Amino acid sequence: MRRRLSPKCCVFGIGILIILWMTFNLARWEWKLSPEPSHSQRLSLRARKSLLVKNPRTQGQGLQSFSVVRHCEELSEVFNKALVKRYNQSLLYSLGVVSDPDDQRARDEGYQKFAFNALISNKIGFHRALPDTRDSRCRDVTFPSIHLDTSIVICYHNELPSALLRMLHSILDRTPEELIREIILVDDSSTLDEVSCQIEAYVNQHLPKVKVVRTPERQGLIRARVYGAHHAKGEVLVFLDSHCEVNTDWLEPLLLRISHDPTTVVVPVIDIINQDTMEYQSSPLVRGGFNWGLHFRWEQLPDSDRKDPDLGSKPIQSPTMAGGLFAMRRDYFHRLGEYDLGMDIWGGENLEISFRIWMCGGRLEIIPCSRVGHIFRKRRPYGNPAGSDTLLKNSLRVAHVWMDEYKKYFLNQRPQANNVDYGDVSDRVSLRKRLSCKSFQWYLKHIYPEQILPNDTKPVKSDTHHQATKAKFSMKKTRVIVRHGRLKHVSTNLCVQSEKDIYTKKALLTFAECDDVSLSGQKAQLWFETVDNQLMLAQLLCLDVESAMAGKSYARLMKCQDSGSSQTWTWTSKNGFSHLYNPASGKCLTATPPRVGGYLSLGLCTESEDQHFLMS
Ligand code: UDP
Ligand code: MN
């Protein structure tokens, strides 16, 4: 018998129906407010699930990756491979011209956040042609089929989107597809929200091979790389800094070498992308070493390498690596102990892995046929949450684990290291035992016999990372003079000279009545222009800018460096006015004011008489 519905039951039923109807409508209304999930959002949601990989070291601390769906200003760049643009030097220089205060603000902000010229980087776009910097013998090679695939791991903390995205396109444009399993971007808790948002949105929408994972809190580049490596599935890991551009056939020679010997770790030649002009410049063939302050340095190749007729196309054995760019088998990376997770933020890990590779049975080589450009920056734009000297702490860990009795040389160099807590290294000491690694003495004798031991008591002067980088590029070079004469301000006919004397570094430049340069010994106003567009006073010091970053800066005399620096000056003429343009600052030499005793500064390029100079 069917039971009759009671009136109470009816009211209850109707109530339920009303609630359901309201909920449904409310949901529809909300759905209308929130936009249709985009392709990128769906992708991110998928990515979010698939990337839930736990880092064994930090399990339990909730260190999981995720891809957040966020809305940010879209980057509207055409990502068409066919649109590779060519930028020669003068075009790049013209992109760098600071035309108005808005340009200046954008430029200054870029330098402050990223420590290179964001104004130019943004204008270049995502595809550009690069000069092929390889030895000609590398170009004729046809590669046999390579049966290895790679996971490219790129960590970043606050990277300029245009630089990172151009880098990703350079990889995708210049690498056979089958060699790339995936590209893993590790956003190491960037604090500039807009930046990581733009990168992530673009990648999710346009670059299916690229996955973004994010550390839940700042790890530093060492732990961030391990974190990325734990997500990787490719047979080979390639680590790259987040401001590189890869050159033609960059990956094949690296993989070829690894496929012949699975315990060889390979490094491309690191070409230079100039931080001020974004010019791509070839690097000389040098190898990695270190000083006893445990600073990495570039060194000339030993005679045996330099005399080798195959130099330029043959692998070069290197005692250490610079650290930012290298490739090795993934299983070997894990077997060899990944990285020392006790190291913070930046520094020291490159020497640690170099020592470990050699001492524990592997090899480290530079592959000259593989070229990758890297933006070398004068400073690192990010801080360290703890405010400590992470390079010192990390170097102490290197010394205590790997250097045996030789650690005393480091400790002598850095007396302040005695008060630094470098944490527990017992895990790394056990790793060294477990891998039956050789002694540091063996390493010095067989891998780095050129290394000189310092006098035990007298500390040798140590250079910094930046000096080391500079050292690489300021190898003695003869300067070719193209002309000489007085540097004159046209309308006043005044001459440019040092505020002090011709020998004083950092001296400002001022105007004076012109001397008679024909008189012997009168060099105070005699300028020499080199083939590299440098202006040398009395062939001693070079015309430079105080700071390529500051809004207002003055011209100064500095020790001459190599070209491509802030000492480059090009003559540009417009409507009969010849300016002296300084590409590093994007500005023109300006008289402030053009009278005796007035200074020379850098100003927005205009057609003002204050910027009208000539050499005579
Ligand atoms: N990096 C990171 N987390 C950090 C510091 C650095 O992921 O806490 C990244 C950084 O964005 C860059 C790479 O690690 O891609 C190497 O750092 P950097 O370029 O500053 O080092 P350098 O080239 O000066 O040695
Ligand atoms: Mn870098």
Side-chain angles (χ1 to χ4, degrees):
M1 207 180 102
R2 285 167 66 183
R3 280 209 285 160
R4 273 190 58 206
L5 290 175
S6 68
K8 228 178 175 181
C9 216
C10 269
V11 170
F12 182 70
I14 290 167
I16 296 258
L17 280 174
I18 290 173
I19 289 170
L20 278 174
W21 183 80
M22 280 172 64
T23 320
F24 175 71
N25 273 299
L26 197 72
R28 262 182 43 189
W29 185 59
E30 272 190 350
W31 188 247
K32 268 189 205 150
L33 280 184
S34 61
E36 175 85 353
S38 66
H39 167 67
S40 68
Q41 285 170 309
R42 287 196 296 272
L43 206 100
S44 328
L45 289 169
R46 219 176 41 230
R48 191 190 312 199
K49 276 194 196 130
S50 67
L51 293 178
L52 286 175
V53 179
K54 289 212 172 67
N55 180 335
R57 293 285 175 149
T58 39
Q59 241 173 19
Q61 294 170 24
L63 186 60
Q64 289 166 353
S65 63
F66 57 94
S67 190
V68 196
V69 178
R70 285 180 291 181
H71 297 279
C72 51
E73 204 185 305
E74 283 266 340
L75 286 158
S76 57
E77 176 70 32
V78 182
F79 50 96
N80 179 354
K81 192 173 168 177
L83 287 175
V84 175
K85 294 176 226 159
R86 277 182 193 282
Y87 294 92
N88 59 18
Q89 188 185 62
S90 66
L91 189 54
L92 286 173
Y93 286 180
S94 66
L95 293 186
V97 175
V98 180
S99 314
D100 53 40
D102 281 347
D103 277 354
Q104 184 67 59
R105 255 192 305 279
R107 187 182 196 277
D108 289 350
E109 200 185 308
Y111 270 100
Q112 186 230 326
K113 288 181 181 165
F114 309 107
F116 60 88
N117 194 328
L119 200 62
I120 302 185
S121 175
N122 295 346
K123 288 182 190 168
I124 292 174
F126 296 173
H127 301 265
R128 70 156 159 173
L130 298 176
D132 189 343
T133 50
R134 298 170 297 169
D135 185 291
S136 56
R137 280 166 296 183
C138 304
R139 292 178 208 161
D140 311 329
V141 178
T142 37
F143 297 103
S145 56
I146 298 169
H147 304 285
L148 284 172
D149 64 2
T150 58
S151 294
I152 301 175
V153 177
I154 303 165
C155 302
Y156 61 97
H157 177 77
N158 294 342
E159 188 55 270
L160 177 70
S162 67
L164 179 51
L165 297 176
R166 183 167 53 253
M167 168 177 179
L168 294 176
H169 279 294
S170 81
I171 296 172
L172 296 167
D173 291 352
R174 297 195 176 99
T175 318
E177 216 185 320
E178 66 279 9
L179 297 185
I180 306 178
R181 173 110 177 205
E182 65 209 342
I183 299 177
I184 299 173
L185 291 187
V186 183
D187 181 344
D188 187 13
S189 297
S190 294
T191 49
L192 301 171
D193 244 7
E194 190 61 12
V195 160
S196 33
C197 187
Q198 284 178 346
I199 292 170
E200 209 173 295
Y202 183 91
V203 161
N204 286 341
Q205 201 172 348
H206 302 301
L207 309 176
K209 276 216 164 174
V210 185
K211 293 170 189 167
V212 184
V213 296
R214 189 180 161 93
T215 59
E217 61 185 46
R218 175 88 175 276
Q219 298 295 316
L221 82 91
I222 298 127
R223 288 193 292 272
R225 277 191 195 153
V226 173
Y227 184 64
H230 285 175
H231 288 85
K233 300 207 175 63
E235 286 158 288
V236 171
L237 290 171
V238 180
F239 293 101
L240 297 173
D241 272 15
S242 50
H243 33 253
C244 298
E245 280 169 76
V246 304
N247 213 320
T248 316
D249 297 342
W250 70 289
L251 188 58
E252 292 92 328
L254 300 177
L255 293 186
L256 213 55
R257 188 73 194 102
I258 293 176
S259 70
H260 286 146
D261 178 2
T263 61
T264 294
V265 177
V266 288
V267 185
V269 173
I270 311 176
D271 282 336
I272 306 147
I273 302 175
N274 185 288
Q275 59 177 350
D276 298 317
T277 63
M278 294 286 120
E279 272 175 275
Y280 187 104
Q281 298 159 331
S282 175
S283 273
L285 285 184
V286 283
R287 65 173 202 174
F290 65 88
N291 66 21
W292 292 101
L294 290 187
H295 290 111
F296 171 83
R297 67 180 175 207
W298 298 100
E299 290 182 354
Q300 288 230 338
L301 300 179
D303 278 352
S304 53
D305 282 323
R306 276 190 290 170
K307 287 182 187 141
D308 190 326
D310 290 329
L311 177 69
S313 60
K314 192 175 135 184
I316 299 164
Q317 185 174 313
S318 185
T320 69
M321 66 160 108
L325 298 72
F326 66 96
M328 69 195 287
R329 283 190 64 99
R330 183 162 61 91
D331 51 8
Y332 186 47
F333 178 71
H334 296 311
R335 186 150 47 88
L336 199 65
E338 303 178 339
Y339 270 123
D340 177 355
L341 296 177
M343 289 187 173
D344 298 330
I345 306 294
W346 182 94
E349 89 295 341
N350 56 331
L351 297 190
E352 194 267 347
I353 200 168
S354 305
F355 296 162
R356 186 151 44 89
I357 290 163
W358 281 118
M359 289 165 65
C360 312
R363 297 178 58 77
L364 177 58
E365 291 178 354
I366 294 165
I367 309 293
C369 287
S370 172
R371 296 260 173 176
V372 177
H374 167 257
I375 305 179
F376 283 92
R377 307 184 283 190
K378 280 206 194 82
R379 65 176 185 99
R380 280 179 296 283
Y382 47 82
N384 156 25
S388 52
D389 179 350
T390 61
L391 174 61
L392 182 57
K393 176 194 164 178
N394 297 348
S395 301
L396 271 167
R397 294 182 68 88
V398 179
H400 285 286
V401 175
W402 296 101
M403 290 172 68
D404 306 327
E405 65 276 22
Y406 292 85
K407 70 178 168 219
K408 70 177 178 220
Y409 297 117
F410 169 66
L411 297 171
N412 284 349
Q413 291 268 313
R414 309 287 296 269
Q416 67 276 42
N418 288 320
N419 310 319
V420 173
D421 176 11
Y422 58 90
D424 179 7
V425 292
S426 54
D427 268 8
R428 302 305 282 179
V429 172
S430 330
L431 172 80
R432 183 174 165 181
K433 280 212 188 82
R434 196 167 69 243
L435 295 173
S436 313
C437 307
K438 297 194 178 74
S439 68
F440 200 70
Q441 186 181 29
W442 174 90
Y443 167 83
L444 288 176
K445 186 166 170 210
H446 296 276
I447 308 304
Y448 199 15
E450 297 78 11
Q451 177 68 309
I452 298 161
L453 292 183
N455 177 321
D456 275 14
T457 51
K458 202 173 112 222
V460 286
K461 203 168 159 277
S462 68
D463 22 332
T464 67
H465 169 75
H466 303 300
Q467 282 166 336
T469 312
K470 262 196 250 160
K472 174 182 175 185
F473 310 120
S474 53
M475 283 173 182
K476 276 262 175 288
K477 188 173 157 186
T478 45
R479 289 172 213 285
V480 181
I481 307 294
V482 289
R483 61 172 172 158
H484 66 273
R486 286 172 295 191
L487 186 56
K488 276 189 179 170
H489 181 248
V490 174
S491 59
T492 57
N493 219 20
L494 291 173
C495 277
V496 178
Q497 66 176 35
S498 167
E499 186 188 32
K500 304 236 166 75
D501 54 52
I502 53 174
Y503 306 101
T504 307
K505 279 186 217 154
K506 295 191 184 168
L508 298 178
L509 281 306
T510 70
F511 290 110
E513 295 295 345
C514 296
D515 296 333
D516 185 351
V517 282
S518 60
L519 291 178
S520 59
Q522 291 283 22
K523 284 193 178 164
Q525 294 177 353
L526 194 53
W527 291 88
F528 294 79
E529 193 174 317
T530 72
V531 71
D532 293 324
N533 298 314
Q534 282 163 309
L535 287 167
M536 301 171 80
L537 182 58
Q539 269 184 294
L540 293 167
L541 297 172
C542 276
L543 187 65
D544 205 331
V545 296
E546 198 171 29
S547 156
M549 283 162 61
K552 164 109 179 160
S553 63
Y554 286 87
R556 278 179 188 278
L557 284 178
M558 297 296 282
K559 184 168 176 250
C560 296
Q561 318 252 313
D562 269 357
S563 56
S565 70
S566 54
Q567 297 176 350
T568 302
W569 299 87
T570 58
W571 290 96
T572 56
S573 34
K574 210 170 156 195
N575 301 337
F577 277 93
S578 50
H579 295 80
L580 263 178
Y581 176 63
N582 178 251
S585 61
K587 297 213 198 135
C588 286
L589 193 65
T590 310
T592 40
R595 58 169 163 74
V596 172
Y599 287 101
L600 284 107
S601 70
L602 277 297
L604 299 184
C605 302
T606 62
E607 283 177 22
S608 146
E609 281 192 351
D610 292 354
Q611 297 182 344
H612 193 184
F613 291 90
L614 59 79
M615 216 155 136
S616 76

